[in-house]
Amino acid sequence: MNGTGTRPRVLVVGAGLAGTATAIRLLHFARRPMEVVLLERRPEYRSAGVAYHRDGNPWDHVFNIQAGRMSVFREDVLDFIQWANQEADRRDWPEPWATLTFTEQGPAPRRIFQDYLDDRLAEARRESCPGVGLVEADGEAVDMTVGGRGFEVTVRLHSSTGLHGLRPGPLPGTTVVGADHVVLATGLEPKELPFAAEVAGHPSFLRDPYSADAIRKLLELPPDATVAIVGSVLSAYDSAGLLLRSGHTGRIHLISRSGTIFRTYPETHEHDVVRLPCPEALMKPYRSREEFLARAEAEWHRACAMVREKYPHIASAIVSERVAKAWEPYLPAAIEQIPTDELRRLLDDFATPIAALRVGAVQYTMTVIEQAMRRRDGALELLVGKVRTVTPAQSGRLLVTVALQQRTRTLEVDLVVSNFGREFDYTKVEQDLWHNLLRRGIAVPHARTGRGLEVDERGTLVDADGRPTGPVSTVGALREGDEIVRNGRTGAFTFNLAVIKNHSVAVAAHVVEQLEFKEDGLGDIPVQHPGHRGYVSNREEANRMALEQSVVLEVQRLATRQRKERELLDSRVNESIGSMGGALSVLPAEISPPDRMMRVLVGRVAVDRLNDVSVTPRQLRQQLGIRNADYSED
């Protein structure tokens, strides 16, 4: 309990994938009473977000990666597969999905992920410790200010069953929700489209291809209609594939500025991590774009050749993915050499090609796309160019003007599907919350990349001087710029499922740690002892202090979903720490109680190990000693 006699409250703003994954971890990790409030402005997005919600994802929309990589728990790699095969309610599923046995390498419909997350959230709620509760509220956060508990969040509430301690907000129709810690997990924000300003409300212009209205229009479109799909990223394949599978015969134009077409994963593809030497040429001072790109291309070809020679079993289609992943640890140092303005231009120009190097799509999706592109009648045509305008035609159709390399081409089409998606510059996001947070200085745009917001290594919002603005953590797309410069991830790999898994673990553990500090009267220790963050985060110190047993037990506790087993492991961790005696001398003498601070050390090292991206999830499970009879692991 906090000083007011109530449970500490954590308000998670956004209940899509990022928010739900974080709420699950909070419910697992909390050892003391806590209220987790999961707030969502669009009820249909709950436990799903734009990518997975049922209304916008028909059964033909499958994950772009294999089903075996879709577990929400990195340390339990087959959890989604086991759920789909053993727990999912298939009574309303159509064939062939209703009778399919899902496999690691095979496809799975995206829409069932909403049921999976719902079930795992319900499980976490049931298995949480006494006094740990979950409240699911519908509403939109519009502002935040520093308050007595931590922050006071102004919300336009639509439904607040079970949410207490509210008071009227400063604006009509708003309510103030006090929170000891806020987690921002607001997901992707839509981008304004100046080229389509004249057709924003036109019935033949689909701005959101993952909406129920868009899916209905695609399925009701006459088979011989002409369609323009703006963008060639993976979401564009969903729209094209849906049309082709439903028997569409009219011309489909894929319009892409980069001309990128994603690779197809081999049927036997398995996720793996290879280790490559540092690309030294990328570490040299930046002189010009042309010179840098030449260096990067030469290093890339050498690295690909190295992988083919050293790992001949890796399919050629996967080599680029292996190299891109292996280079991530080195990219932050290379990025430091690039001037800010030029870094932003490079990210703008090469985001899609980089993403295509790092990820492919499953055969279920790509086979129908590739077959259509090979047809002599040009059923599916790739246009490499930039859309200049989309305007109404006198015929009632739409005119799409595309600037190609040597000329301009105008298409008259029956339907335009825009996959020109997200807004990464939060100064341009049309949401009250971001206008207000930026105006108050609670959030600031990421200085180096202009993508996302400035955060520290734990995902806490920081101001322009790098100081925490308060107990406000972030998960997912908000951390895009930080992921680029800190971890070398680019494109969608700054906020995809794999990254969100790691964010959810680290943020939930940090929130629980900070709330326990506050309850124990230790909330100002990081300020009083600047070395605190270092000595409780240093893995080498942990090994030197013989804390390995405690760390292993804590890893197992964090990875355990059953309450009784977690409580037993918690007791064993405390016993192990208490038995160390003289090993505690590494802590400053004024730190008290030392056992409490050693628990922090153990917890942070355990989180680091759970989030180790240098190995695959399967390898991670083996290394951490987390085994299960259902796994056939070597």
Side-chain angles (χ1 to χ4, degrees), residues 99 173 203 620:
T99 55
L620 178 75

Side-chain angles (χ1 to χ4, degrees), residues 26 146 181 213 287 311 371 439 453 514:
L26 284 166
V146 176
H181 202 112
D213 181 61
R287 295 184 178 85
Y311 305 96
Q371 288 176 348
R439 175 176 56 84
L453 306 170
Q514 295 302 300

Side-chain angles (χ1 to χ4, degrees), residues 434-476:
W434 297 113
H435 285 302
N436 289 324
L437 293 190
L438 292 170
R439 175 176 56 84
R440 295 183 187 279
I442 294 172
V444 295
H446 194 262
R448 282 280 278 145
T449 66
R451 293 168 178 254
L453 306 170
E454 288 285 355
V455 299
D456 66 12
E457 68 274 15
R458 298 189 181 281
T460 302
L461 282 183
V462 297
D463 61 20
D465 296 321
R467 296 174 302 210
T469 58
V472 184
S473 299
T474 59
V475 179

Side-chain angles (χ1 to χ4, degrees), residues 257 289 335 340-354 422 424 446 448-451 480-481 484-485 489-491 494:
R257 189 172 65 173
R289 168 182 286 217
I335 288 171
T340 294
D341 290 346
E342 186 59 21
L343 174 62
R344 294 187 179 195
R345 284 191 289 268
L346 288 169
L347 291 171
D348 288 345
D349 292 344
F350 294 100
T352 299
I354 290 172
R422 62 189 178 86
F424 50 74
H446 194 262
R448 282 280 278 145
T449 66
R451 293 168 178 254
E480 178 176 1
I484 292 170
V485 302
R489 300 188 181 105
T490 54
T494 60

Side-chain angles (χ1 to χ4, degrees), residues 264-280:
T264 304
Y265 283 124
E267 287 185 333
T268 58
H269 172 59
E270 291 186 7
H271 179 49
D272 199 2
V273 178
V274 303
R275 288 172 173 78
L276 295 175
C278 175
E280 296 292 346

Side-chain angles (χ1 to χ4, degrees), residues 505-516:
V505 169
V507 165
H510 174 67
V511 170
V512 170
E513 171 194 293
Q514 295 302 300
L515 292 179
E516 290 183 352

Side-chain angles (χ1 to χ4, degrees), residues 378-454:
L380 184 62
E381 176 190 26
L382 176 66
L383 287 179
V384 182
K386 183 177 181 179
V387 175
R388 293 297 186 191
T389 59
V390 181
T391 56
Q394 290 184 350
S395 62
R397 304 170 83 197
L398 296 178
L399 297 176
V400 183
T401 302
V402 185
L404 305 175
Q405 188 172 13
Q406 302 293 337
R407 61 190 178 91
T408 297
R409 181 176 172 183
T410 298
L411 311 171
E412 186 168 339
V413 301
D414 299 287
L415 189 73
V416 175
V417 183
S418 175
N419 287 277
F420 198 82
R422 62 189 178 86
E423 179 58 74
F424 50 74
D425 182 351
Y426 278 73
T427 65
K428 298 178 181 178
V429 172
E430 292 298 324
Q431 294 291 339
D432 289 341
L433 178 64
W434 297 113
H435 285 302
N436 289 324
L437 293 190
L438 292 170
R439 175 176 56 84
R440 295 183 187 279
I442 294 172
V444 295
H446 194 262
R448 282 280 278 145
T449 66
R451 293 168 178 254
L453 306 170
E454 288 285 355

